[in-house]
C-alpha cells in the first residue's frame, strides 16, 4: 500500500439516525432558518440602537454592568455554591463541542449585556469592545471608516470573547498572528471581585499572557482593547489553481505568502490575505489578497464581484472554478470578503442543505442563510449529536508550516476529508511560555515563513463528512480524533479547544503548556472558583460530584510539578 492509499473498511450498517440526518433539511428550512433570520434581524436592531448612543453613554452603562458582575460574584458562598460560569445557554456557543460542564451545579453570572462597541479610538488605533461583540457587528462599524481589526474571523457570529478565550484566525494571521495576539489590553473581573486591566507590560502581564486559550477559567472578561489597522475599500483577490500531489500543493501554498529569500516582513512580497482550499488530493486553489482603493477597483477592465449578495454562488465553489478557468483576478468589497465563508458555513452548508448551493434555492431562500449554529445544535438532540461525533469531522490542526505536507498526507489516509482549508498564522516567541508556543530553537533553522521573533504555523481546517462515511463504510470518529491528537502532540502541533476532544488530562498538558496558566490560576484565585481549562473542555457529561472532585484535586495538588524548580 502506497503512502496515499487509504485502508479498506467494511460496510457500515445504517441506523435510524442516518435517515433522520438525511432529512434534517426539513427542520432546517421550516424551523431553523426562519428563527435564525429573525434572531439575526433582532440582533441587528439591537446593535443599531447601541451604535446610536454616544461612546460616553456606552462606557457609563458598561461600568454599571461591571459593578453588577462584581456584586454577583461577591454573593457567592464558596462552600455552598457551585463553580462560577456564565449564564449563557450551553447550545449557544459556536462549535461542535456542547458545553457539558454546565450540566453540573454551577453559580451563574449573567454577561448578556456585554455586547457593545465601547470606543473606536482613531488616534491610538484601538477598538475597545465588550466580549459579546461579534465579527459582523465590528466590521459593520469599522469598515466604512476604512479601519478594521487586524484579524477578522470569517463567520459573523464569532464573538470577541470566544476568539480571545478560545481561538481565532483569519487570512491576515500570517502577518498579525492569532486574534488574541492583536489584543492590547484585557479588562478582567477576578474571582474575588477585583476589576483589573491586564497589558503586556503592567503588573498583570502574567495574566495578560495566560488569558488566551484559557476558556474563561482565570476570570470574567468584560472588555478588550484590540488593534486596528488602516484598510481600503476592496480586496484584490488572485485565484491561482494548483495541480499536483499533496507535498507539491503544500509547497505551492507556502510559496504563495512566504518568500523563499526569508524577507517575510516585506509588504511588497507578502500579500495582505492568504488562504488555500484543497478540493481533492491533487487539486487546490491558492488565494492571495491585497487591499485596493475604490478608484483602482473601478478602472476599466477590472472585474468587481459583490459576493455578499444572497443569490451569489457559495465562495468555496466560486473559487473552485479556477481549476477550469485558470488563474484570474477580481475585486471584492472588503467587508464582503471578510465574511466570505459565512453564508455557507465554509462548506458545511452542503451537508445541512444538500440543495442549498443550487441557483433556485439561492435566489428564493438564500437571503435566509446562514442557519445559526446555536439553533442547529439546539434542535439536534443527544442521538444526532453523538452521530456527528462519530461520523463527522470538525477539527483544526495547527502545525508548523514545514510540516503541512506531512499533515495533509496523514489526514488523507486517516480521514479523507475534502475540501480542506489552509490558513497560515504566526506563533510568537514571547518573554513567557503561554499554552501554545513555537518549537524550541525554530529561529536557528531559517525555515521558509519563519522570522527571528515568530514561527509560521498553519491551520489545517478539516470540516466535513469523511470519505468512508460518504462511501457507506465503517468509520470510528472518536478513534480518528485520538490519532489526530497524538499526531499533533508528536509534531509540536495544537488543537483548538472548541472542537470535540478525546485527550486525557495527561495528553492535554503534553499538547499545551501548563506552567504559566496554573501559576495564574493560583495567583489570581481561580482555583476553586472557575473550572480548570482541561475539565471545561473535556468531552462528556459532568455531574456535580465529578466537578467537585476534580476541583478538590486541583486545590490539593495544584499541579505540583509546576512548583518544582526548573532543571
Amino acid at each position: 500500500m502506497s503512502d496515499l492509499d487509504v485502508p479498506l473498511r467494511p460496510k457500515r450498517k445504517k441506523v435510524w439516525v442516518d435517515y433522520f440526518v438525511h432529512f434534517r433539511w426539513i427542520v432546517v428550512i421550516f424551523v431553523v432558518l426562519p428563527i435564525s433570520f429573525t434572531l439575526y434581524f433582532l440582533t441587528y436592531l439591537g446593535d443599531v440602537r447601541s451604535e446610536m448612543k454616544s461612546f460616553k453613554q456606552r462606557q457609563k452603562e458598561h461600568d454599571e454592568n461591571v459593578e453588577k458582575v462584581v456584586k454577583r460574584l461577591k454573593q457567592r458562598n464558596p462552600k455552598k455554591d457551585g463553580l462560577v460560569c456564565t449564564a449563557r445557554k450551553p447550545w449557544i456557543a459556536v462549535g461542535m463541542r456542547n458545553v457539558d460542564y454546565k450540566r453540573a451545579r454551577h453559580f451563574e453570572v449573567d454577561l448578556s449585556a456585554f455586547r457593545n462597541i465601547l470606543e473606536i479610538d482613531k488616534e491610538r488605533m484601538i477598538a475597545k469592545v465588550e466580549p459579546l461583540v461579534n465579527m459582523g457587528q465590528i466590521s459593520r462599524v469599522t469598515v466604512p471608516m476604512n479601519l478594521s481589526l487586524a484579524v477578522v474571523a470569517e463567520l459573523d457570529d464569532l464573538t470577541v470573547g470566544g476568539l480571545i478565550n478560545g481561538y481565532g484566525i483569519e487570512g491576515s494571521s500570517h502577518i498579525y498572528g492569532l486574534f488574541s495576539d492583536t489584543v492590547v489590553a484585557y479588562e478582567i473581573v477576578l474571582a474575588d471581585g477585583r476589576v483589573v486591566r491586564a497589558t503586556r507590560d503592567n503588573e498583570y502581564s502574567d495574566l495578560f499572557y495566560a488569558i488566551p486559550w484559557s476558556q474563561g477559567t482565570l476570570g470574567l472578561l468584560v472588555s478588550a482593547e484590540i488593534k486596528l489597522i488602516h484598510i481600503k475599500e476592496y480586496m484584490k483577490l488572485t485565484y491561482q489553481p494548483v495541480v499536483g500531489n499533496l507535498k507539491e500543493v503544500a509547497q505551492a501554498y507556502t510559496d504563495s505568502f512566504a518568500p523563499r529569500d526569508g524577507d517575510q516582513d516585506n509588504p511588497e512580497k507578502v500579500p495582505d490575505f492568504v488562504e488555500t482550499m484543497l478540493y481533492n488530493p491533487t487539486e487546490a486553489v491558492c488565494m492571495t489578497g491585497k487591499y485596493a482603493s475604490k478608484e483602482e477597483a473601478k478602472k476599466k477592465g477590472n472585474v468587481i464581484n459583490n459576493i455578499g449578495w444572497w443569490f451569489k454562488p457559495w465562495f468555496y465553489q466560486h473559487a473552485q472554478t479556477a481549476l477550469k478557468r485558470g488563474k484570474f483576478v477580481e475585486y471584492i468589497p472588503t467587508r464582503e470578503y471578510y465574511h466570505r465563508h459565512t453564508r455557507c458555513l465554509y462548506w458545511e452548508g452542503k451537508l445541512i442543505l444538500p440543495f442549498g448551493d443550487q441557483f433556485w434555492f439561492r435566489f428564493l431562500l438564500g437571503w435566509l442563510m446562514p442557519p445559526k449554529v446555536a439553533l442547529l445544535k439546539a434542535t439536534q438532540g443527544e442521538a444526532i449529536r453523538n452521530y456527528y461525533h462519530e461520523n463527522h469531522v470538525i477539527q483544526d490542526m495547527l502545525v508548523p508550516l514545514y510540516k503541512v505536507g506531512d499533515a495533509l498526507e496523514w489526514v488523507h489516509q486517516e480521514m479523507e476529508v475534502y475540501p480542506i482549508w489552509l490558513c497560515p498564522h504566526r506563533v510568537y516567541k514571547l518573554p513567557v511560555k503561554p499554552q501554545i508556543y513555537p518549537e524550541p530553537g525554530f529561529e536557528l533553522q531559517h525555515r521558509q515563513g519563519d522570522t527571528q521573533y515568530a514561527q509560521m504555523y498553519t491551520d489545517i481546517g478539516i470540516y466535513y463528512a469523511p470519505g468512508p462515511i460518504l462511501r457507506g463504510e465503517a468509520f470510528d470518529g472518536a478513534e480518528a480524533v485520538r490519532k489526530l491528537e497524538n499526531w499533533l502532540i508528536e509534531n509540536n502541533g495544537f488543537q483548538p479547544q472548541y472542537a470535540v476532544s478525546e485527550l486525557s488530562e495527561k495528553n492535554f498538558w503534553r499538547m499545551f503548556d501548563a506552567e504559566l496558566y496554573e501559576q495564574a490560576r493560583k495567583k489570581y484565585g481561580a482555583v476553586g472558583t472557575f473550572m480548570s481549562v482541561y475539565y471545561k473542555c473535556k468531552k462528556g457529561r459532568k455531574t456535580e460530584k465529578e466537578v467537585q472532585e476534580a476541583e478538590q484535586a486541583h486545590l490539593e495538588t495544584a499541579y505540583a510539578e509546576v512548583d518544582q524548580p526548573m532543571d
Side-chain angles (χ1 to χ4, degrees):
M1 186 169 72
S2 69
D3 289 343
L4 282 184
D5 285 343
V6 296
L8 295 175
R9 295 179 171 93
K11 287 293 182 180
R12 174 178 168 272
K13 185 178 180 180
K14 287 190 175 182
V15 295
W16 70 268
V17 184
D18 287 281
Y19 300 99
F20 194 94
V21 169
H22 182 73
F23 291 103
R24 196 180 174 206
W25 60 266
I26 299 173
V27 176
V28 173
I29 287 181
F30 293 105
V31 178
V32 176
L33 283 181
I35 297 176
S36 294
F37 181 82
T38 303
L39 291 176
Y40 281 127
F41 183 67
L42 292 175
T43 300
Y44 170 75
L45 292 180
D47 294 342
V48 171
R49 182 182 176 188
S50 171
E51 291 159 17
M52 292 173 64
K53 300 175 183 177
S54 67
F55 287 135
K56 185 176 181 180
Q57 186 177 359
R58 289 181 227 169
Q59 183 63 52
K60 180 183 177 183
E61 291 177 0
H62 171 77
D63 293 339
E64 291 171 353
N65 288 328
V66 171
E67 281 302 312
K68 292 178 183 177
V69 171
V70 171
K71 183 179 179 180
R72 173 65 175 158
L73 276 177
K74 291 184 176 179
Q75 291 173 346
R76 175 176 175 264
N77 184 335
K79 294 181 179 179
K80 296 181 180 179
D81 296 320
L83 296 170
V84 173
C85 69
T86 67
R88 202 179 188 197
K89 297 302 180 185
W91 46 269
I92 290 179
V94 178
M96 279 292 287
R97 177 175 59 84
N98 268 37
V99 190
D100 290 316
Y101 67 89
K102 288 191 177 182
R103 298 174 189 266
R105 184 171 63 95
H106 50 271
F107 184 84
E108 291 186 346
V109 178
D110 187 4
L111 299 182
S112 61
F114 291 88
R115 55 175 309 105
N116 299 303
I117 298 170
L118 299 176
E119 184 178 12
I120 302 295
D121 190 331
K122 296 181 182 180
E123 291 185 7
R124 294 175 58 219
M125 290 296 287
I126 295 295
K128 185 177 181 182
V129 300
E130 293 180 322
L132 291 182
V133 168
N134 64 36
M135 293 297 98
Q137 182 182 356
I138 188 70
S139 66
R140 187 173 58 250
V141 171
T142 58
V143 170
M145 303 178 187
N146 280 2
L147 298 174
S148 172
L149 298 184
V151 174
V152 183
E154 290 91 348
L155 302 184
D156 285 16
D157 257 4
L158 296 173
T159 62
V160 167
L163 295 168
I164 287 172
N165 282 302
Y167 164 74
I169 190 174
E170 168 56 299
S172 59
S173 290
H174 65 296
I175 298 173
Y176 301 105
L178 298 177
F179 188 89
S180 55
D181 293 317
T182 67
V183 178
V184 174
Y186 301 106
E187 184 183 12
I188 300 288
V189 181
L190 299 177
D192 60 3
R194 282 184 295 155
V195 182
V196 302
R197 180 175 180 269
T199 70
R200 66 182 70 247
D201 52 11
N202 72 359
E203 60 184 305
Y204 300 105
S205 62
D206 54 348
L207 182 62
F208 177 86
Y209 287 116
I211 285 171
W213 295 71
S214 68
Q215 297 288 330
T217 60
L218 295 172
L220 298 173
L221 176 69
V222 289
S223 76
E225 297 168 45
I226 309 171
K227 179 179 180 179
L228 289 169
I229 60 171
H230 291 288
I231 63 170
K232 297 178 182 178
E233 295 89 349
Y234 284 84
M235 186 67 65
K236 179 183 178 182
L237 195 63
T238 301
Y239 301 80
Q240 177 66 61
V242 178
V243 177
N245 61 41
L246 289 174
K247 287 290 180 67
E248 291 168 340
V249 168
Q251 186 58 57
Y253 156 73
T254 300
D255 290 339
S256 71
F257 68 93
R260 294 198 179 195
D261 61 5
D263 200 7
Q264 192 63 44
D265 291 319
N266 188 339
E268 298 298 320
K269 298 180 180 180
V270 178
D272 295 320
F273 272 77
V274 179
E275 70 177 332
T276 287
M277 287 184 279
L278 282 78
Y279 295 93
N280 56 57
T282 60
E283 293 181 320
V285 177
C286 297
M287 284 153 282
T288 54
K290 278 280 190 181
Y291 287 112
S293 66
K294 180 168 54 178
E295 292 73 22
E296 177 185 343
K298 294 187 176 182
K299 284 182 179 178
K300 186 177 180 180
N302 288 342
V303 176
I304 293 178
N305 185 3
N306 294 93
I307 63 173
W309 286 103
W310 75 91
F311 53 81
K312 286 281 190 171
W314 290 353
F315 181 75
Y316 82 96
Q317 294 178 342
H318 170 65
Q320 190 176 9
T321 62
L323 294 171
K324 292 183 177 180
R325 295 172 56 180
K327 180 180 178 180
F328 68 97
V329 178
E330 62 185 14
Y331 291 79
I332 300 173
T334 297
R335 185 167 184 265
E336 294 181 21
Y337 175 76
Y338 284 163
H339 303 296
R340 61 200 178 278
H341 292 300
T342 291
R343 190 154 42 97
C344 57
L345 300 174
Y346 286 89
W347 28 88
E348 287 288 325
K350 183 67 175 173
L351 287 178
I352 297 167
L353 289 170
F355 45 79
D357 58 342
Q358 301 299 306
F359 176 77
W360 65 267
F361 180 88
R362 298 199 315 268
F363 187 79
L364 294 175
L365 295 174
W367 51 276
L368 287 171
M369 293 289 282
K372 285 187 76 72
V373 175
L375 284 174
L376 290 172
K377 291 170 66 176
T379 57
Q380 69 184 10
E382 191 75 17
I384 296 179
R385 180 163 68 118
N386 292 333
Y387 175 91
Y388 281 127
H389 288 177
E390 288 297 324
N391 301 293
H392 197 86
V393 178
I394 294 187
Q395 295 283 341
D396 287 85
M397 300 172 69
L398 310 188
V399 302
L401 178 59
Y402 71 95
K403 292 187 177 181
V404 169
D406 294 336
L408 290 177
E409 290 185 345
W410 187 92
V411 171
H412 177 82
Q413 186 170 358
E414 296 293 335
M415 295 181 173
E416 276 190 279
V417 174
Y418 293 97
I420 290 176
W421 187 60
L422 300 181
C423 185
H425 66 94
R426 280 174 162 160
V427 175
Y428 290 96
K429 182 171 65 173
L430 300 172
V432 294
K433 195 175 182 183
Q435 284 195 53
I436 72 164
Y437 49 90
E439 294 176 302
F442 75 91
E443 66 275 20
L444 305 177
Q445 303 300 321
H446 305 291
R447 296 188 183 99
Q448 195 173 353
D450 292 353
T451 62
Q452 288 299 302
Y453 58 88
Q455 184 177 10
M456 195 67 74
Y457 269 61
T458 283
D459 181 327
I460 301 177
I462 316 166
Y463 327 121
Y464 211 63
I469 293 296
L470 296 177
R471 293 193 298 269
E473 298 171 0
F475 182 80
D476 188 336
E479 179 61 23
V481 170
R482 277 191 286 271
K483 289 181 179 179
L484 178 148
E485 291 165 339
N486 288 334
W487 192 95
L488 287 173
I489 291 170
E490 293 166 2
N491 289 274
N492 300 102
F494 305 98
Q495 175 192 46
Q497 295 153 352
Y498 80 86
V500 177
S501 172
E502 301 290 337
L503 287 169
S504 65
E505 187 167 10
K506 178 181 178 181
N507 282 341
F508 186 90
W509 292 119
R510 286 178 63 204
M511 180 179 289
F512 302 103
D513 193 270
E515 183 171 357
L516 177 67
Y517 170 75
E518 288 297 341
Q519 287 177 349
R521 271 179 63 79
K522 288 185 287 182
K523 180 177 177 180
Y524 296 106
V527 179
T529 302
F530 300 102
M531 189 179 297
S532 70
V533 66
Y534 166 72
Y535 207 71
K536 192 170 183 179
C537 297
K538 183 182 176 184
K539 178 182 174 183
R541 291 176 178 268
K542 301 166 182 68
T543 65
E544 179 184 350
K545 182 180 179 181
E546 288 173 330
V547 171
Q548 289 176 334
E549 288 175 351
E551 282 306 303
Q552 186 60 36
H554 273 279
L555 285 167
E556 292 173 355
T557 63
Y559 273 71
E561 56 269 352
V562 171
D563 294 328
Q564 295 175 358
M566 298 292 287
D567 292 334

